[in-house]
Amino acid sequence: MRRNLGGGLLALLLLATTAASGDLVVTREDGAEIARLAVPDGDGWCVLWHHSVQGFEVSDCYENRGGHMVLVRSHLPDFAAGLDHIPGRGRQVSDGQGGYWILDIDEPVPGDAYVLRPGRGAVDHRLRVGETTVSLSQAAPRARLRIELTGSED
């Protein structure tokens, strides 16, 4: 007995592609889109900025896990003002250069989105996805921006 699986297989492939897709979308309060970057399931991105007092780069890195935004790690080059590890929230390890990583945070972001007001000038909040970097500070300094992972399948 021969069965035609072509249509069913195509539907399954489309469903798998849809479930794995995701876009990281940055919008202003008025709904204007600043950036849209593809982030497939399992891939990640980082928000980078320079500490306003010390000037070194700080990063918070996220992953698309099954269509949901999850904070996975942070890099903090120093224990400067406002930077610290919260015990029980990931594990702190040395970066070998005087700073530290907080790994295994694995914290889902409520609603798969959050609001950020990018700092001006030297603070330079940036969004990095793979080889692509978007300066949120240049695009919308001090604006209320929503960073959201869209395309999630619930």
Side-chain angles (χ1 to χ4, degrees):
M1 177 164 115
R2 186 167 194 214
R3 295 173 29 187
N4 181 354
L5 299 176
L9 183 57
L10 179 59
L12 183 60
L13 286 172
L14 287 173
L15 180 60
T17 302
T18 301
S21 69
D23 284 337
L24 194 59
V25 181
V26 182
T27 53
R28 289 179 185 263
E29 200 167 16
D30 64 5
E33 194 170 286
I34 302 297
R36 177 178 293 267
L37 300 159
V39 183
D41 187 20
D43 282 3
W45 67 92
C46 294
V47 176
L48 313 164
W49 71 95
H50 294 107
H51 189 272
S52 60
V53 176
Q54 298 297 327
F56 50 65
E57 187 173 86
V58 178
S59 64
D60 288 324
C61 299
Y62 301 81
E63 284 182 7
N64 175 349
R65 290 194 182 162
H68 296 284
M69 182 186 292
V70 178
L71 176 63
V72 293
R73 69 185 178 283
S74 293
H75 182 249
L76 307 145
D78 195 339
F79 289 96
L83 303 179
D84 200 0
H85 173 236
I86 300 169
R89 186 176 184 236
R91 61 187 175 86
Q92 178 181 320
V93 298
S94 172
D95 70 359
Q97 299 174 13
Y100 59 100
W101 283 95
I102 302 172
L103 304 174
D104 304 324
I105 298 173
D106 298 327
E107 184 176 285
V109 176
D112 301 314
Y114 65 93
V115 172
L116 173 72
R117 286 194 186 271
R120 294 178 189 216
V123 173
D124 194 20
H125 279 92
R126 287 153 289 137
L127 183 63
R128 181 174 295 150
V129 178
E131 298 298 315
T132 302
T133 300
V134 175
S135 174
L136 301 176
S137 292
Q138 286 180 0
R142 299 299 302 146
R144 185 177 191 272
L145 300 181
R146 177 178 171 87
I147 299 174
E148 177 180 20
L149 181 63
T150 64
S152 61
E153 295 291 315
D154 292 318

